[in-house]
Amino acid sequence: MDPILETKDLCCTYSIGTPFEHVALDHVNFQAYPGEYLGIIGHTGSGKSTLIQHLNGLLKPTGGQVLLHGKDIWADSKTTRQTRFKVGLVFQYPEYQLFEETVYKDIAFGPKNMKLDQDEIDRRVHQAAYFVGLTDDMLDKSPFELSGGQKRRVAIAGVIAMEPEVLILDEPTAGLDPQGREAILGNIQAFHDARNATIIVVSHSMEDMARLADRIVVINDGKIPLEGTPRQVFAQGDQLRDMGLNTPQLTQVFHRLREMGLPVDDSVYTMEEAKAALLALYRKGGQVC
Amino acid sequence: MLKDITLGQYFPGDSLVHRLDPRTKLICVVLYIVALFTAKGFLAYGLVFLLLATAVKVSGVGAKALLRGMRPVLFILIFTGILNLFYTTTGTVLVKVGFLQITTGGLANAFFMVVRIMMLISGTFLMTYTTSPISLTDGLEMLLNPLKKLKVPVHDLAMMMSIALRFIPTLIEETDKIMSAQKARGADFESGSVIDKAKAMVPLMVPLFVSAFRRADELATAMECRCYHGGEGRTRLHQLHYTRNDWLVMGLFGVLVAAMFVLRRFSSF
Ligand SMILES: Nc1ncnc2c1ncn2[C@@H]1O[C@H](COP(=O)(O)OP(=O)(O)O)[C@@H](O)[C@H]1O
Ligand SMILES: [Mg+2]
């Protein structure tokens, strides 16, 4: 299958020619396939946010290319602008970008910039609000009256309303309580299922990525040293730890069990697998130390 | 990008110039300016230039960065040069076209004026390049301390200045971020008429003001939580101390100013 979005030898250097020069991306070859749920993990400062800002043309590459459906998004200025609508990007802490008098108007900002007609805008605003679980009476409120979690959902709805083919979210659950996190992740999943859209999520939670992502890309120091299914990635526990990352807690438990000499598979990362593995071990009567 | 604005930008480093007390640097810049405006003749300018060149070399800032700072005033430089070139009528006439004439005196005047402005800018830029804004305001506060006797709120002014300076990069970064976020939703800040551009600023300015007020509020609370109540009885974590180097450098600039006055009187070179 051809990737929907990919980068070819993408390089990014910040502040070229000053003492602050910094290479943030170094010949990155990244692919996202249609309809997949892709997780991006990496520690702070590894270049995750820089990479995703290249994917919708907010940052211009200092080297290499970004291709959407195989076409360079920087080919001409019209293509670049269209890319912004086809690849929706939700920034980290997006609640700080709200500015309109009402929630409705704020969500409508993107569709309006797409020059859609009034009926279509109205339909999209209601649909986006529905996806993120905002009730109709909230649409007439000022976004500044809402709680932090609600503001963030409004901001996400503002991007969803553009109905992008690829939805990218930068640490969408940062700073939320567990309930808020679950709600947001559920909203994203709902959008993914309903539209069959490609989802790219930057996250620090290995548990969330293990549970939700079809594929994981690891970024370290501006490069992609590791990518694959959650199982393939989490099987490389040592390599991940070297990069300052962790495996999900369940995988860590099985890793320890294996180190203690029990015959278990240490690439386990879901609860069901863990249960099956432990029961199998128990039936075999493997001795516990 | 907005980040590339180099107005009073600080290049961290650990050279002799960086390590000087900020008060020393402020005093030296004042002395330097006095010297520059007293200087007359090649020898005098040569001496001032020698000192500047040494300071630049020691600081490790690089002449390129200094020259880059000169770009915004390029027009003024050219303008001053041309005015001086044609409006001075002393010395012998070299070229004469119609009512315009270039004399040896005009040539010299234009040269010295342009060099003076360039050296003035380089000198002050060297100070801001090698001194962090915070220590600069610290130094300023200490130097202006005597004004407290006249009930000038020196501490409060200095505190306001350092907070403002501290938040400039934060606000620039925030502006960049909000701009990107709105661009991701299709906002267009570049094209269109003047009115369109002004309208396009709303999605940028509203979040920016909201966050600036939030930050100010948080900062005020955080300062009160740490019992800040103005300058009275407040001690400092980083005490400013003059070292031997500071005295030496100040002495050097003092000698420079004296030399300028002497040269002005006795040398015709
Ligand atoms: N606008 C910028 N100017 C200069 N350096 C930057 C800028 N944005 C990010 N960086 C640097 O690039 C590196 C990668 O940053 P980023 O992509 O934000 O990392 P992450 O999102 O993985 O935490 C960091 O070292 C950061 O300091
Ligand atoms: Mg980031």
Side-chain angles (χ1 to χ4, degrees):
Chain A
M1 191 161 40
D2 286 334
I4 181 165
L5 192 56
E6 68 181 316
T7 72
K8 289 220 164 104
D9 285 322
L10 180 64
C11 297
C12 169
T13 311
Y14 281 118
S15 316
I16 289 188
T18 74
F20 306 104
E21 190 166 306
H22 180 90
V23 178
L25 293 177
D26 185 10
H27 296 277
V28 168
N29 288 299
F30 165 95
Q31 296 87 27
Y33 295 95
E36 77 174 342
Y37 195 127
L38 181 67
I40 298 185
I41 59 177
H43 68 81
T44 310
S46 53
K48 307 182 294 292
S49 302
T50 307
L51 171 65
I52 57 175
Q53 284 179 64
H54 279 92
L55 297 181
N56 75 338
L58 278 177
L59 291 178
K60 189 161 186 172
T62 43
Q65 283 181 310
V66 180
L67 308 175
L68 177 67
H69 293 298
K71 282 202 280 292
D72 191 336
I73 64 169
W74 286 97
D76 55 86
S77 66
K78 209 168 141 244
T79 317
T80 314
R81 194 168 156 71
Q82 284 308 313
T83 307
R84 304 257 165 91
F85 302 126
K86 287 182 187 152
V87 181
L89 173 57
V90 180
F91 273 75
Q92 200 170 2
Y93 298 109
E95 53 272 30
Y96 295 133
Q97 76 193 30
L98 303 179
F99 69 97
E100 277 285 12
E101 295 155 69
T102 66
V103 170
Y104 181 97
K105 282 191 189 170
D106 212 291
I107 299 178
F109 182 64
K112 233 190 220 152
N113 285 328
M114 298 170 80
K115 308 262 181 313
L116 299 173
D117 64 47
Q118 202 53 51
D119 293 340
E120 178 65 9
I121 293 179
D122 192 62
R123 183 189 71 74
R124 289 191 176 200
V125 171
H126 281 100
Q127 181 129 45
Y130 167 78
F131 272 127
V132 299
L134 292 171
T135 52
D136 272 353
D137 60 309
M138 278 189 208
L139 289 180
D140 296 326
K141 281 196 183 167
S142 158
F144 298 102
E145 289 170 32
L146 305 178
S147 75
Q150 284 171 330
K151 276 189 205 166
R152 188 168 300 185
R153 282 192 250 163
V154 173
I156 294 177
V159 175
I160 286 182
M162 301 192 301
E163 301 192 346
E165 293 168 41
V166 182
L167 179 64
I168 309 178
L169 302 103
D170 196 353
E171 302 191 28
T173 58
L176 291 182
D177 54 284
Q179 214 175 358
R181 298 165 59 115
E182 276 313 307
I184 296 263
L185 290 175
N187 297 153
I188 298 169
Q189 191 68 44
F191 181 72
H192 179 52
D193 294 342
R195 291 247 169 266
N196 196 23
T198 308
I199 307 281
I200 302 177
V201 176
V202 173
S203 176
H204 272 127
S205 164
M206 302 301 150
E207 274 73 28
D208 290 345
M209 287 301 101
R211 187 159 51 95
L212 298 168
D214 301 320
R215 211 159 60 83
I216 292 181
V217 167
V218 183
I219 299 201
N220 188 44
D221 214 3
K223 296 186 189 74
I224 299 184
L226 202 57
E227 63 181 306
T229 60
R231 184 179 309 284
Q232 289 165 340
V233 169
F234 292 134
Q236 308 296 324
D238 293 331
Q239 204 184 338
L240 285 174
R241 268 184 292 278
D242 283 346
M243 295 185 272
L245 297 171
N246 245 323
T247 47
Q249 283 175 347
L250 267 177
T251 316
Q252 288 176 41
V253 168
F254 275 79
H255 190 72
R256 283 285 289 154
L257 286 174
R258 202 180 157 92
E259 275 180 357
M260 286 161 74
L262 289 171
V264 291
D265 177 8
D266 64 357
S267 68
V268 167
Y269 66 92
T270 64
M271 201 58 97
E272 283 71 38
E273 280 178 345
K275 189 172 145 195
L278 285 181
L279 281 176
L281 192 64
Y282 182 72
R283 285 205 200 88
K284 260 198 262 166
Q287 64 279 60
V288 179
C289 34
Chain B
M1 277 256 251
L2 282 165
K3 274 232 160 109
D4 298 332
I5 300 171
T6 67
L7 194 107
Q9 200 181 41
Y10 170 52
F11 290 138
D14 192 34
S15 71
L16 179 70
V17 183
H18 283 88
R19 273 177 285 140
L20 285 178
D21 191 294
R23 288 170 299 178
T24 311
K25 283 187 258 189
L26 282 163
I27 293 171
C28 285
V29 164
V30 173
L31 290 177
Y32 172 78
I33 293 174
V34 172
L36 206 51
F37 279 87
T38 324
K40 206 175 140 206
F42 284 102
L43 185 59
Y45 272 96
L47 276 179
V48 182
F49 181 77
L50 196 68
L51 196 64
L52 175 69
T54 317
V56 172
K57 184 93 187 92
V58 171
S59 73
V61 164
K64 233 202 235 154
L66 281 177
L67 287 177
R68 208 172 25 227
M70 214 78 72
R71 212 177 286 152
V73 292
L74 194 63
F75 175 73
I76 297 180
L77 278 179
I78 295 173
F79 194 68
T80 319
I82 291 179
L83 272 192
N84 276 284
L85 191 59
F86 291 115
Y87 275 79
T88 319
T89 48
T90 54
T92 50
V93 177
L94 292 176
V95 192
K96 197 167 158 89
V97 184
F99 65 96
L100 289 175
Q101 61 173 17
I102 297 177
T103 63
T104 46
L107 215 55
N109 259 1
F111 174 75
F112 282 128
M113 255 342 251
V114 170
V115 167
R116 178 182 285 175
I117 297 177
M118 284 175 71
M119 280 166 70
L120 185 73
I121 294 170
S122 313
T124 38
F125 269 33
L126 186 64
M127 175 180 73
T128 55
Y129 279 164
T130 57
T131 321
S132 75
I134 300 295
S135 61
L136 210 55
T137 40
D138 270 0
L140 208 58
E141 182 183 350
M142 299 279 281
L143 283 177
L144 295 182
N145 240 345
L147 290 183
K148 273 187 189 158
K149 296 240 164 54
L150 303 173
K151 297 250 181 309
V152 178
V154 174
H155 169 81
D156 306 74
L157 288 177
M159 179 56 91
M160 280 196 254
M161 201 167 133
S162 48
I163 290 176
L165 285 171
R166 156 69 186 75
F167 277 98
I168 288 175
T170 313
L171 284 181
I172 290 181
E173 201 174 300
E174 188 117 338
T175 311
D176 247 358
K177 220 188 299 173
I178 295 172
M179 225 166 165
S180 303
Q182 307 299 26
K183 273 194 208 158
R185 293 205 279 165
D188 184 359
F189 294 104
E190 273 111 38
S191 57
S193 67
V194 178
I195 296 173
D196 286 339
K197 274 186 191 156
K199 267 197 198 148
M201 283 293 141
V202 174
L204 177 62
M205 294 320 273
V206 173
L208 203 58
F209 271 97
V210 169
S211 98
F213 280 117
R214 183 175 44 83
R215 272 180 206 285
D217 208 33
E218 282 171 4
L219 183 68
T221 312
M223 283 167 82
E224 270 177 16
C225 285
R226 288 188 264 170
C227 302
Y228 178 77
H229 55 269
E232 219 159 298
R234 190 158 180 254
T235 54
R236 304 181 157 277
L237 174 60
H238 299 290
Q239 298 275 1
L240 294 179
H241 289 297
Y242 288 120
T243 62
R244 213 183 50 178
N245 283 340
D246 289 301
W247 296 118
L248 279 176
V249 171
M250 261 190 275
L252 192 62
F253 276 84
V255 170
L256 180 76
V257 173
M260 288 308 116
F261 275 103
V262 172
L263 281 176
R264 196 180 172 85
R265 232 181 120 66
F266 297 111
S267 165
S268 56
F269 190 52

